[in-house]
Short mmCIF file of all heavy atoms in Angstrom, two decimals:
data_model
loop_
_atom_site.label_atom_id
_atom_site.label_comp_id
_atom_site.label_asym_id
_atom_site.label_seq_id
_atom_site.Cartn_x
_atom_site.Cartn_y
_atom_site.Cartn_z
N ARG Q 36 14.61 2.65 5.13
CA ARG Q 36 14.95 2.97 3.75
C ARG Q 36 14.76 4.48 3.48
O ARG Q 36 13.79 5.06 3.93
CB ARG Q 36 14.01 2.18 2.85
CG ARG Q 36 14.60 1.84 1.53
CD ARG Q 36 13.72 0.90 0.75
NE ARG Q 36 14.42 0.56 -0.46
CZ ARG Q 36 13.82 0.30 -1.61
NH1 ARG Q 36 12.51 0.31 -1.68
NH2 ARG Q 36 14.52 0.01 -2.67
N ASP Q 88 -15.73 9.96 -3.15
CA ASP Q 88 -16.93 9.79 -3.97
C ASP Q 88 -17.97 10.88 -3.73
O ASP Q 88 -18.74 11.22 -4.62
CB ASP Q 88 -17.60 8.44 -3.65
CG ASP Q 88 -16.94 7.26 -4.33
OD1 ASP Q 88 -16.14 7.48 -5.26
OD2 ASP Q 88 -17.22 6.11 -3.93
N TYR Q 89 -18.04 11.37 -2.50
CA TYR Q 89 -19.09 12.32 -2.15
C TYR Q 89 -18.96 13.65 -2.89
O TYR Q 89 -19.94 14.36 -3.09
CB TYR Q 89 -19.15 12.55 -0.64
CG TYR Q 89 -20.30 11.76 -0.04
CD1 TYR Q 89 -20.19 10.40 0.19
CD2 TYR Q 89 -21.51 12.38 0.24
CE1 TYR Q 89 -21.24 9.68 0.70
CE2 TYR Q 89 -22.58 11.66 0.75
CZ TYR Q 89 -22.44 10.31 0.98
OH TYR Q 89 -23.49 9.60 1.47
N ARG Q 93 -20.95 10.29 -6.88
CA ARG Q 93 -21.08 9.03 -7.60
C ARG Q 93 -20.15 7.99 -6.99
O ARG Q 93 -18.99 8.28 -6.70
CB ARG Q 93 -20.67 9.25 -9.06
CG ARG Q 93 -20.72 7.99 -9.90
CD ARG Q 93 -20.31 8.33 -11.34
NE ARG Q 93 -20.48 7.15 -12.18
CZ ARG Q 93 -19.55 6.24 -12.36
NH1 ARG Q 93 -18.39 6.35 -11.77
NH2 ARG Q 93 -19.78 5.20 -13.15
N ALA Q 94 -20.69 6.76 -6.80
CA ALA Q 94 -19.87 5.68 -6.26
C ALA Q 94 -18.76 5.31 -7.24
O ALA Q 94 -18.94 5.41 -8.45
CB ALA Q 94 -20.75 4.46 -6.00
N PHE Q 95 -17.60 4.87 -6.70
CA PHE Q 95 -16.48 4.39 -7.53
C PHE Q 95 -15.95 5.46 -8.47
O PHE Q 95 -15.46 5.16 -9.56
CB PHE Q 95 -16.88 3.17 -8.37
CG PHE Q 95 -17.23 1.94 -7.58
CD1 PHE Q 95 -17.99 0.93 -8.15
CD2 PHE Q 95 -16.79 1.76 -6.29
CE1 PHE Q 95 -18.31 -0.22 -7.44
CE2 PHE Q 95 -17.10 0.61 -5.57
CZ PHE Q 95 -17.87 -0.38 -6.15
N PHE Q 97 -13.34 7.09 -8.39
CA PHE Q 97 -11.89 6.99 -8.60
C PHE Q 97 -11.52 6.00 -9.71
O PHE Q 97 -10.41 6.03 -10.23
CB PHE Q 97 -11.19 6.58 -7.30
CG PHE Q 97 -11.56 5.20 -6.84
CD1 PHE Q 97 -10.78 4.10 -7.18
CD2 PHE Q 97 -12.70 4.98 -6.08
CE1 PHE Q 97 -11.13 2.82 -6.77
CE2 PHE Q 97 -13.06 3.71 -5.67
CZ PHE Q 97 -12.28 2.63 -6.02
N THR Q 98 -12.45 5.09 -10.05
CA THR Q 98 -12.10 4.08 -11.05
C THR Q 98 -11.89 4.73 -12.42
O THR Q 98 -11.06 4.28 -13.20
CB THR Q 98 -13.18 2.99 -11.17
OG1 THR Q 98 -14.38 3.58 -11.68
CG2 THR Q 98 -13.48 2.35 -9.84
N ALA Q 106 -3.47 2.58 -17.07
CA ALA Q 106 -3.33 1.40 -16.23
C ALA Q 106 -3.25 0.11 -17.04
O ALA Q 106 -3.85 -0.90 -16.71
CB ALA Q 106 -4.50 1.34 -15.24
N TRP Q 107 -2.53 0.14 -18.10
CA TRP Q 107 -2.34 -1.06 -18.90
C TRP Q 107 -0.94 -1.08 -19.45
O TRP Q 107 -0.51 -0.07 -20.00
CB TRP Q 107 -3.36 -1.12 -20.05
CG TRP Q 107 -3.20 -2.39 -20.83
CD1 TRP Q 107 -2.49 -2.58 -21.98
CD2 TRP Q 107 -3.73 -3.68 -20.47
NE1 TRP Q 107 -2.55 -3.89 -22.36
CE2 TRP Q 107 -3.29 -4.59 -21.47
CE3 TRP Q 107 -4.52 -4.15 -19.42
CZ2 TRP Q 107 -3.63 -5.95 -21.43
CZ3 TRP Q 107 -4.85 -5.48 -19.40
CH2 TRP Q 107 -4.42 -6.37 -20.39
N PRO Q 109 -1.60 -4.08 -16.52
CA PRO Q 109 -2.10 -3.83 -15.17
C PRO Q 109 -1.04 -3.27 -14.22
O PRO Q 109 0.13 -3.64 -14.31
CB PRO Q 109 -2.56 -5.22 -14.72
CG PRO Q 109 -2.94 -5.91 -15.98
CD PRO Q 109 -1.94 -5.43 -17.01
N VAL Q 110 -1.47 -2.39 -13.34
CA VAL Q 110 -0.55 -1.73 -12.43
C VAL Q 110 -0.80 -2.18 -11.00
O VAL Q 110 -1.91 -2.59 -10.64
CB VAL Q 110 -0.69 -0.19 -12.50
CG1 VAL Q 110 -0.18 0.32 -13.84
CG2 VAL Q 110 -2.13 0.25 -12.27
N GLU Q 112 -1.63 -1.00 -7.63
CA GLU Q 112 -2.33 0.27 -7.39
C GLU Q 112 -3.24 0.17 -6.20
O GLU Q 112 -3.78 -0.90 -5.91
CB GLU Q 112 -3.13 0.58 -8.66
CG GLU Q 112 -3.81 1.91 -8.70
CD GLU Q 112 -5.26 1.90 -8.26
OE1 GLU Q 112 -5.88 0.82 -8.18
OE2 GLU Q 112 -5.78 2.98 -7.96
N HIS Q 114 -5.94 2.88 -3.43
CA HIS Q 114 -6.65 4.16 -3.31
C HIS Q 114 -7.11 4.34 -1.88
O HIS Q 114 -7.59 3.39 -1.25
CB HIS Q 114 -7.86 4.14 -4.27
CG HIS Q 114 -8.80 5.29 -4.07
ND1 HIS Q 114 -9.99 5.17 -3.41
CD2 HIS Q 114 -8.72 6.59 -4.45
CE1 HIS Q 114 -10.62 6.34 -3.40
NE2 HIS Q 114 -9.87 7.22 -4.01
N VAL Q 115 -6.96 5.54 -1.36
CA VAL Q 115 -7.53 5.87 -0.05
C VAL Q 115 -8.66 6.85 -0.26
O VAL Q 115 -8.56 7.76 -1.08
CB VAL Q 115 -6.48 6.44 0.93
CG1 VAL Q 115 -5.42 5.40 1.24
CG2 VAL Q 115 -5.85 7.71 0.41
N GLU Q 116 -9.75 6.64 0.46
CA GLU Q 116 -10.88 7.56 0.37
C GLU Q 116 -10.60 8.69 1.36
O GLU Q 116 -11.31 8.88 2.35
CB GLU Q 116 -12.18 6.83 0.69
CG GLU Q 116 -13.45 7.64 0.43
CD GLU Q 116 -13.90 7.65 -1.02
OE1 GLU Q 116 -13.19 7.07 -1.88
OE2 GLU Q 116 -14.96 8.23 -1.30
N MET Q 117 -9.51 9.41 1.11
CA MET Q 117 -8.99 10.41 2.04
C MET Q 117 -8.24 11.43 1.21
O MET Q 117 -8.10 11.29 0.00
CB MET Q 117 -7.98 9.76 3.03
CG MET Q 117 -8.47 8.56 3.78
SD MET Q 117 -7.18 7.82 4.82
CE MET Q 117 -7.20 8.90 6.24
N GLU Q 125 0.60 5.81 2.30
CA GLU Q 125 0.52 4.40 1.92
C GLU Q 125 1.64 4.04 0.94
O GLU Q 125 2.25 2.97 1.03
CB GLU Q 125 -0.86 4.07 1.29
CG GLU Q 125 -0.99 2.58 0.99
CD GLU Q 125 -2.29 2.18 0.30
OE1 GLU Q 125 -3.34 2.82 0.53
OE2 GLU Q 125 -2.24 1.21 -0.49
N LEU Q 131 8.95 1.45 1.68
CA LEU Q 131 9.75 0.99 2.84
C LEU Q 131 9.82 -0.53 2.91
O LEU Q 131 10.81 -1.08 3.39
CB LEU Q 131 9.14 1.52 4.15
CG LEU Q 131 9.29 3.02 4.44
CD1 LEU Q 131 8.67 3.34 5.80
CD2 LEU Q 131 10.74 3.47 4.39
N THR Q 132 8.78 -1.23 2.43
CA THR Q 132 8.83 -2.70 2.47
C THR Q 132 9.85 -3.26 1.48
O THR Q 132 10.18 -4.44 1.55
CB THR Q 132 7.47 -3.34 2.11
OG1 THR Q 132 7.16 -3.05 0.75
CG2 THR Q 132 6.35 -2.85 3.01
N GLU Q 134 9.18 -3.47 -1.71
CA GLU Q 134 8.45 -4.02 -2.87
C GLU Q 134 8.36 -3.04 -4.03
O GLU Q 134 7.93 -3.42 -5.12
CB GLU Q 134 7.03 -4.42 -2.43
CG GLU Q 134 6.99 -5.63 -1.53
CD GLU Q 134 5.59 -5.88 -0.99
OE1 GLU Q 134 4.62 -5.34 -1.54
OE2 GLU Q 134 5.48 -6.63 0.00
N ARG Q 157 -22.04 15.46 5.63
CA ARG Q 157 -22.24 14.00 5.59
C ARG Q 157 -21.07 13.24 6.20
O ARG Q 157 -21.10 12.02 6.30
CB ARG Q 157 -22.50 13.53 4.16
CG ARG Q 157 -23.69 14.17 3.44
CD ARG Q 157 -25.00 13.94 4.15
NE ARG Q 157 -25.28 14.98 5.14
CZ ARG Q 157 -26.25 14.92 6.05
NH1 ARG Q 157 -27.03 13.89 6.12
NH2 ARG Q 157 -26.42 15.91 6.90
N GLN Q 158 -19.99 13.96 6.57
CA GLN Q 158 -18.85 13.34 7.28
C GLN Q 158 -19.16 13.12 8.75
O GLN Q 158 -18.38 12.45 9.43
CB GLN Q 158 -17.63 14.27 7.23
CG GLN Q 158 -16.87 14.30 5.94
CD GLN Q 158 -15.59 15.10 6.10
OE1 GLN Q 158 -15.45 15.94 6.97
NE2 GLN Q 158 -14.63 14.82 5.23
N TYR Q 162 -25.91 9.46 13.08
CA TYR Q 162 -27.14 9.29 13.86
C TYR Q 162 -27.50 10.54 14.66
O TYR Q 162 -28.66 10.89 14.77
CB TYR Q 162 -26.99 8.10 14.83
CG TYR Q 162 -26.62 6.81 14.12
CD1 TYR Q 162 -25.34 6.29 14.20
CD2 TYR Q 162 -27.57 6.14 13.35
CE1 TYR Q 162 -25.01 5.11 13.54
CE2 TYR Q 162 -27.24 4.96 12.69
CZ TYR Q 162 -25.95 4.45 12.80
OH TYR Q 162 -25.63 3.29 12.15
N HIS Q 264 0.87 10.17 11.24
CA HIS Q 264 -0.45 10.79 11.30
C HIS Q 264 -1.22 10.21 12.47
O HIS Q 264 -1.00 9.06 12.87
CB HIS Q 264 -1.21 10.60 9.98
CG HIS Q 264 -1.45 9.17 9.61
ND1 HIS Q 264 -2.64 8.54 9.82
CD2 HIS Q 264 -0.64 8.24 9.05
CE1 HIS Q 264 -2.56 7.29 9.39
NE2 HIS Q 264 -1.36 7.07 8.92
N ARG Q 265 -2.12 11.00 13.01
CA ARG Q 265 -2.89 10.59 14.19
C ARG Q 265 -4.30 11.12 14.06
O ARG Q 265 -4.55 12.17 13.49
CB ARG Q 265 -2.26 11.19 15.46
CG ARG Q 265 -0.80 10.80 15.68
CD ARG Q 265 -0.67 9.42 16.28
NE ARG Q 265 0.61 8.79 15.88
CZ ARG Q 265 1.06 7.67 16.40
NH1 ARG Q 265 0.37 7.05 17.34
NH2 ARG Q 265 2.19 7.14 15.97
N ILE Q 266 -5.24 10.39 14.66
CA ILE Q 266 -6.64 10.82 14.63
C ILE Q 266 -7.11 11.09 16.05
O ILE Q 266 -6.57 10.52 17.00
CB ILE Q 266 -7.52 9.77 13.91
CG1 ILE Q 266 -8.87 10.37 13.50
CG2 ILE Q 266 -7.72 8.51 14.76
CD1 ILE Q 266 -9.63 9.53 12.48
N ALA Q 268 -10.76 11.98 18.64
CA ALA Q 268 -12.18 11.64 18.77
C ALA Q 268 -12.99 12.47 17.77
O ALA Q 268 -12.61 13.58 17.40
CB ALA Q 268 -12.65 11.92 20.19
N HIS Q 269 -14.10 11.92 17.33
CA HIS Q 269 -14.90 12.61 16.32
C HIS Q 269 -15.76 13.70 16.94
O HIS Q 269 -15.85 14.81 16.40
CB HIS Q 269 -15.80 11.58 15.61
CG HIS Q 269 -16.64 12.17 14.54
ND1 HIS Q 269 -16.10 12.78 13.41
CD2 HIS Q 269 -17.98 12.26 14.40
CE1 HIS Q 269 -17.08 13.19 12.63
NE2 HIS Q 269 -18.23 12.91 13.20
N MET Q 351 -9.48 17.14 -0.80
CA MET Q 351 -8.85 15.84 -1.06
C MET Q 351 -7.47 15.98 -1.70
O MET Q 351 -6.68 15.04 -1.68
CB MET Q 351 -9.70 14.88 -1.90
CG MET Q 351 -11.03 14.52 -1.28
SD MET Q 351 -10.86 13.77 0.34
CE MET Q 351 -12.20 14.55 1.19
N GLN Q 384 -9.72 17.13 12.96
CA GLN Q 384 -9.81 15.85 13.69
C GLN Q 384 -8.61 14.94 13.45
O GLN Q 384 -8.12 14.27 14.35
CB GLN Q 384 -11.09 15.09 13.31
CG GLN Q 384 -11.30 13.85 14.20
CD GLN Q 384 -12.36 12.90 13.68
OE1 GLN Q 384 -13.16 13.27 12.81
NE2 GLN Q 384 -12.39 11.70 14.19
N GLN Q 385 -8.16 14.87 12.21
CA GLN Q 385 -7.08 13.94 11.85
C GLN Q 385 -5.94 14.74 11.22
O GLN Q 385 -6.19 15.59 10.36
CB GLN Q 385 -7.60 12.91 10.87
CG GLN Q 385 -6.63 11.77 10.59
CD GLN Q 385 -7.24 10.69 9.73
OE1 GLN Q 385 -8.24 10.94 9.05
NE2 GLN Q 385 -6.66 9.51 9.72
N MET O 693 17.22 -5.61 1.26
CA MET O 693 16.14 -4.99 2.04
C MET O 693 15.23 -6.10 2.55
O MET O 693 14.53 -6.74 1.78
CB MET O 693 15.41 -4.04 1.08
CG MET O 693 14.08 -3.49 1.57
SD MET O 693 14.22 -1.98 2.49
CE MET O 693 13.16 -2.34 3.86
N LYS O 695 12.11 -7.72 4.76
CA LYS O 695 10.81 -7.36 5.30
C LYS O 695 10.58 -8.14 6.58
O LYS O 695 11.06 -9.24 6.75
CB LYS O 695 9.71 -7.75 4.30
CG LYS O 695 9.54 -6.79 3.16
CD LYS O 695 8.24 -7.05 2.42
CE LYS O 695 8.20 -8.38 1.70
NZ LYS O 695 6.93 -8.61 1.02
N LEU O 717 -23.58 1.56 13.13
CA LEU O 717 -22.34 1.28 12.40
C LEU O 717 -21.19 1.07 13.38
O LEU O 717 -20.38 0.15 13.22
CB LEU O 717 -21.99 2.47 11.48
CG LEU O 717 -22.85 2.63 10.22
CD1 LEU O 717 -22.64 4.02 9.63
CD2 LEU O 717 -22.49 1.56 9.21
N PRO O 748 -18.18 1.71 -1.52
CA PRO O 748 -18.50 3.15 -1.59
C PRO O 748 -19.25 3.70 -0.39
O PRO O 748 -20.10 3.03 0.20
CB PRO O 748 -19.38 3.25 -2.83
CG PRO O 748 -19.05 2.08 -3.64
CD PRO O 748 -18.66 1.01 -2.69
N PHE O 750 -21.52 5.74 -0.38
CA PHE O 750 -22.95 5.86 -0.65
C PHE O 750 -23.74 4.65 -0.15
O PHE O 750 -24.96 4.71 -0.02
CB PHE O 750 -23.20 6.05 -2.16
CG PHE O 750 -22.84 7.43 -2.63
CD1 PHE O 750 -21.71 7.63 -3.40
CD2 PHE O 750 -23.61 8.52 -2.28
CE1 PHE O 750 -21.37 8.91 -3.82
CE2 PHE O 750 -23.27 9.80 -2.68
CZ PHE O 750 -22.14 10.00 -3.47
N GLY O 753 -24.36 6.03 3.16
CA GLY O 753 -24.68 7.45 3.18
C GLY O 753 -23.85 8.24 4.17
O GLY O 753 -24.28 9.29 4.64
N MET O 755 -20.07 9.97 4.54
CA MET O 755 -18.84 10.34 3.83
C MET O 755 -17.64 10.13 4.75
O MET O 755 -17.60 10.66 5.85
CB MET O 755 -18.93 11.81 3.44
CG MET O 755 -17.72 12.36 2.73
SD MET O 755 -17.91 14.16 2.47
CE MET O 755 -16.48 14.51 1.43
N MET O 756 -16.68 9.32 4.29
CA MET O 756 -15.46 9.06 5.06
C MET O 756 -15.77 8.64 6.50
O MET O 756 -15.39 9.30 7.46
CB MET O 756 -14.54 10.30 5.03
CG MET O 756 -14.16 10.70 3.60
SD MET O 756 -13.50 12.36 3.43
CE MET O 756 -11.87 12.12 4.14
N LEU O 759 -13.84 8.74 10.11
CA LEU O 759 -13.78 9.86 11.05
C LEU O 759 -14.71 9.60 12.23
O LEU O 759 -14.32 9.72 13.39
CB LEU O 759 -14.17 11.16 10.32
CG LEU O 759 -13.23 11.57 9.18
CD1 LEU O 759 -13.88 12.63 8.31
CD2 LEU O 759 -11.90 12.08 9.73
N TYR O 760 -15.92 9.21 11.90
CA TYR O 760 -16.92 8.93 12.95
C TYR O 760 -16.58 7.65 13.71
O TYR O 760 -16.87 7.52 14.90
CB TYR O 760 -18.30 8.87 12.29
CG TYR O 760 -19.29 7.92 12.90
CD1 TYR O 760 -19.83 8.15 14.17
CD2 TYR O 760 -19.71 6.79 12.21
CE1 TYR O 760 -20.75 7.27 14.72
CE2 TYR O 760 -20.63 5.91 12.75
CZ TYR O 760 -21.14 6.14 14.01
OH TYR O 760 -22.03 5.27 14.55
N ASP O 763 -13.48 6.53 17.30
CA ASP O 763 -13.67 6.23 18.72
C ASP O 763 -14.01 4.76 18.92
O ASP O 763 -13.45 4.08 19.79
CB ASP O 763 -14.79 7.08 19.31
CG ASP O 763 -14.56 8.57 19.13
OD1 ASP O 763 -14.52 9.01 17.96
OD2 ASP O 763 -14.40 9.26 20.14
N ALA O 767 -9.14 4.08 18.00
CA ALA O 767 -8.07 4.66 17.19
C ALA O 767 -7.63 6.03 17.68
O ALA O 767 -6.65 6.58 17.16
CB ALA O 767 -8.53 4.77 15.73
N GLY O 769 -5.78 8.94 19.04
CA GLY O 769 -4.36 9.05 19.36
C GLY O 769 -3.47 8.17 18.50
O GLY O 769 -2.25 8.16 18.67
N LYS O 770 -4.08 7.42 17.59
CA LYS O 770 -3.31 6.49 16.74
C LYS O 770 -3.46 6.87 15.27
O LYS O 770 -4.35 7.62 14.89
CB LYS O 770 -3.84 5.07 16.94
CG LYS O 770 -3.69 4.55 18.36
CD LYS O 770 -4.36 3.20 18.54
CE LYS O 770 -4.32 2.81 20.02
NZ LYS O 770 -5.06 1.57 20.29
N PRO O 771 -2.62 6.29 14.42
CA PRO O 771 -2.82 6.46 12.98
C PRO O 771 -4.02 5.64 12.52
O PRO O 771 -4.23 4.51 12.98
CB PRO O 771 -1.53 5.90 12.36
CG PRO O 771 -0.57 5.78 13.50
CD PRO O 771 -1.39 5.56 14.72
N MET O 772 -4.81 6.22 11.61
CA MET O 772 -5.95 5.50 11.05
C MET O 772 -6.00 5.79 9.55
O MET O 772 -6.03 6.95 9.13
CB MET O 772 -7.24 5.96 11.71
CG MET O 772 -8.46 5.15 11.28
SD MET O 772 -9.89 5.53 12.32
CE MET O 772 -11.02 4.23 11.82
N ARG O 774 -7.86 4.84 5.73
CA ARG O 774 -9.10 4.34 5.13
C ARG O 774 -8.85 3.99 3.65
O ARG O 774 -8.52 4.87 2.86
CB ARG O 774 -10.18 5.41 5.23
CG ARG O 774 -11.30 5.27 4.20
CD ARG O 774 -12.21 4.10 4.49
NE ARG O 774 -13.04 3.80 3.31
CZ ARG O 774 -14.06 4.53 2.89
NH1 ARG O 774 -14.40 5.61 3.53
NH2 ARG O 774 -14.75 4.18 1.82
N HIS O 776 -10.07 2.32 -0.05
CA HIS O 776 -11.27 2.08 -0.87
C HIS O 776 -10.83 1.67 -2.27
O HIS O 776 -10.37 2.51 -3.04
CB HIS O 776 -12.15 3.33 -0.91
CG HIS O 776 -13.37 3.21 -1.78
ND1 HIS O 776 -13.88 2.00 -2.21
CD2 HIS O 776 -14.19 4.14 -2.30
CE1 HIS O 776 -14.95 2.22 -2.96
NE2 HIS O 776 -15.16 3.50 -3.04
N ALA O 778 -12.97 -0.37 -4.35
CA ALA O 778 -14.18 -1.06 -4.84
C ALA O 778 -14.33 -2.42 -4.15
O ALA O 778 -13.95 -2.57 -2.99
CB ALA O 778 -14.16 -1.16 -6.36
N VAL O 788 -2.66 -3.40 2.98
CA VAL O 788 -2.08 -2.12 3.44
C VAL O 788 -1.66 -2.26 4.90
O VAL O 788 -0.58 -1.82 5.31
CB VAL O 788 -3.10 -0.97 3.26
CG1 VAL O 788 -2.59 0.31 3.90
CG2 VAL O 788 -3.37 -0.75 1.76
N GLU O 811 -28.44 0.19 5.88
CA GLU O 811 -28.59 1.63 6.14
C GLU O 811 -29.01 2.36 4.88
O GLU O 811 -29.43 3.52 4.93
CB GLU O 811 -27.27 2.21 6.66
CG GLU O 811 -26.74 1.55 7.91
CD GLU O 811 -27.18 2.23 9.21
OE1 GLU O 811 -27.36 3.44 9.22
OE2 GLU O 811 -27.33 1.50 10.21
N GLY O 817 -27.09 2.85 -4.71
CA GLY O 817 -25.82 3.48 -4.37
C GLY O 817 -24.81 3.34 -5.50
O GLY O 817 -23.91 4.16 -5.65
N LEU O 818 -24.98 2.30 -6.30
CA LEU O 818 -24.09 2.07 -7.44
C LEU O 818 -24.62 2.71 -8.72
O LEU O 818 -23.98 2.63 -9.76
CB LEU O 818 -23.93 0.57 -7.69
CG LEU O 818 -22.99 -0.20 -6.79
CD1 LEU O 818 -23.05 -1.67 -7.09
CD2 LEU O 818 -21.57 0.32 -6.95
N LEU O 820 -25.88 5.98 -9.32
CA LEU O 820 -26.06 7.42 -9.40
C LEU O 820 -25.57 7.89 -10.77
O LEU O 820 -24.41 7.72 -11.10
CB LEU O 820 -25.30 8.11 -8.28
CG LEU O 820 -25.73 7.69 -6.87
CD1 LEU O 820 -24.74 8.20 -5.84
CD2 LEU O 820 -27.12 8.21 -6.56
N MET O 931 -1.62 -6.52 -5.15
CA MET O 931 -2.79 -5.87 -5.75
C MET O 931 -2.47 -5.56 -7.21
O MET O 931 -1.32 -5.25 -7.55
CB MET O 931 -3.08 -4.53 -5.08
CG MET O 931 -3.46 -4.59 -3.63
SD MET O 931 -3.89 -2.90 -3.09
CE MET O 931 -3.01 -2.80 -1.55
N ARG O 932 -3.47 -5.65 -8.06
CA ARG O 932 -3.32 -5.23 -9.46
C ARG O 932 -4.61 -4.58 -9.92
O ARG O 932 -5.70 -5.01 -9.54
CB ARG O 932 -3.03 -6.42 -10.38
CG ARG O 932 -1.63 -6.99 -10.29
CD ARG O 932 -0.55 -6.01 -10.77
NE ARG O 932 0.77 -6.63 -10.75
CZ ARG O 932 1.51 -6.77 -9.65
NH1 ARG O 932 1.07 -6.33 -8.49
NH2 ARG O 932 2.70 -7.35 -9.71
N SER O 933 -4.46 -3.59 -10.79
CA SER O 933 -5.61 -2.88 -11.35
C SER O 933 -5.45 -2.71 -12.85
O SER O 933 -4.33 -2.58 -13.34
CB SER O 933 -5.72 -1.47 -10.75
OG SER O 933 -5.64 -1.52 -9.35
N GLU O 934 -6.58 -2.74 -13.54
CA GLU O 934 -6.59 -2.40 -14.96
C GLU O 934 -7.85 -1.58 -15.23
O GLU O 934 -8.77 -1.56 -14.40
CB GLU O 934 -6.54 -3.67 -15.83
CG GLU O 934 -7.78 -4.55 -15.74
CD GLU O 934 -7.63 -5.83 -16.59
OE1 GLU O 934 -6.58 -6.46 -16.57
OE2 GLU O 934 -8.64 -6.16 -17.26
N PRO O 935 -7.94 -0.89 -16.37
CA PRO O 935 -9.11 -0.04 -16.62
C PRO O 935 -10.41 -0.85 -16.70
O PRO O 935 -10.40 -2.05 -16.97
CB PRO O 935 -8.80 0.61 -17.97
CG PRO O 935 -7.31 0.56 -18.08
CD PRO O 935 -6.91 -0.72 -17.41
N PHE O 938 -11.76 -1.27 -22.07
CA PHE O 938 -10.89 -0.86 -23.17
C PHE O 938 -10.93 -1.93 -24.23
O PHE O 938 -11.29 -3.09 -23.95
CB PHE O 938 -9.45 -0.61 -22.71
CG PHE O 938 -8.75 -1.80 -22.09
CD1 PHE O 938 -7.91 -2.62 -22.85
CD2 PHE O 938 -8.90 -2.08 -20.74
CE1 PHE O 938 -7.25 -3.69 -22.27
CE2 PHE O 938 -8.25 -3.17 -20.15
CZ PHE O 938 -7.42 -3.97 -20.92
N GLN O 947 -6.33 -9.76 -17.26
CA GLN O 947 -4.88 -9.85 -17.09
C GLN O 947 -4.46 -9.44 -15.69
O GLN O 947 -3.53 -10.02 -15.12
CB GLN O 947 -4.18 -8.95 -18.14
CG GLN O 947 -2.67 -9.13 -18.22
CD GLN O 947 -2.27 -10.54 -18.66
OE1 GLN O 947 -2.91 -11.14 -19.52
NE2 GLN O 947 -1.22 -11.08 -18.04
N PHE O 1067 -10.10 -4.64 -10.35
CA PHE O 1067 -9.24 -4.49 -9.18
C PHE O 1067 -9.09 -5.84 -8.50
O PHE O 1067 -10.10 -6.50 -8.23
CB PHE O 1067 -9.83 -3.50 -8.18
CG PHE O 1067 -10.04 -2.13 -8.74
CD1 PHE O 1067 -11.32 -1.61 -8.88
CD2 PHE O 1067 -8.97 -1.36 -9.14
CE1 PHE O 1067 -11.51 -0.35 -9.42
CE2 PHE O 1067 -9.15 -0.10 -9.68
CZ PHE O 1067 -10.44 0.41 -9.82
#
Side-chain angles (χ1 to χ4, degrees):
Chain Q
R36 209 172 183 212
D88 280 345
Y89 258 78
R93 178 179 186 272
F95 295 160
F97 65 94
T98 65
W107 183 264
V110 291
E112 187 265 344
H114 170 258
V115 296
E116 188 81 357
M117 307 176 80
E125 184 183 329
L131 289 182
T132 66
E134 290 173 17
R157 303 300 89 191
Q158 282 188 337
Y162 304 106
H264 61 99
R265 302 280 151 171
I266 197 165
H269 181 62
M351 299 302 140
Q384 188 193 344
Q385 189 174 19
Chain O
M693 167 89 226
K695 281 194 294 179
L717 287 165
F750 286 108
M755 178 185 187
M756 301 164 74
L759 297 165
Y760 147 69
D763 303 64
K770 298 174 187 175
M772 186 169 192
R774 157 72 195 287
H776 177 17
V788 172
E811 303 267 329
L818 281 175
L820 300 168
M931 296 184 226
R932 286 294 184 280
S933 310
E934 66 182 44
F938 60 96
Q947 190 63 39
F1067 301 115

